[in-house]
Amino acid sequence: MTITEQDKQFMREAIRLSAESVRRGGGPFGAVIARGGELIPVPQTG
């Protein structure tokens, strides 16, 4: 399995969301959903 630059970009976004959650007093959790090479918007909780 090859990790692409796009995969890395998606992972960076998940990490950014995780850091944002911690800043808001939540847990260190972040996730993104991608389909066809694009991020699918999902509501944030917390």
Side-chain angles (χ1 to χ4, degrees), residues 21-40:
S21 176
V22 170
R23 282 192 294 276
R24 291 183 304 183
F29 310 107
V32 297
I33 299 174
R35 181 174 185 194
E38 295 186 21
L39 291 179
I40 298 173

Side-chain angles (χ1 to χ4, degrees), residues 2-15:
T2 301
I3 298 173
T4 66
E5 284 304 314
Q6 189 172 60
D7 294 333
K8 292 176 187 178
Q9 178 184 352
F10 294 155
M11 182 58 76
R12 284 190 293 271
E13 179 63 9
I15 292 168

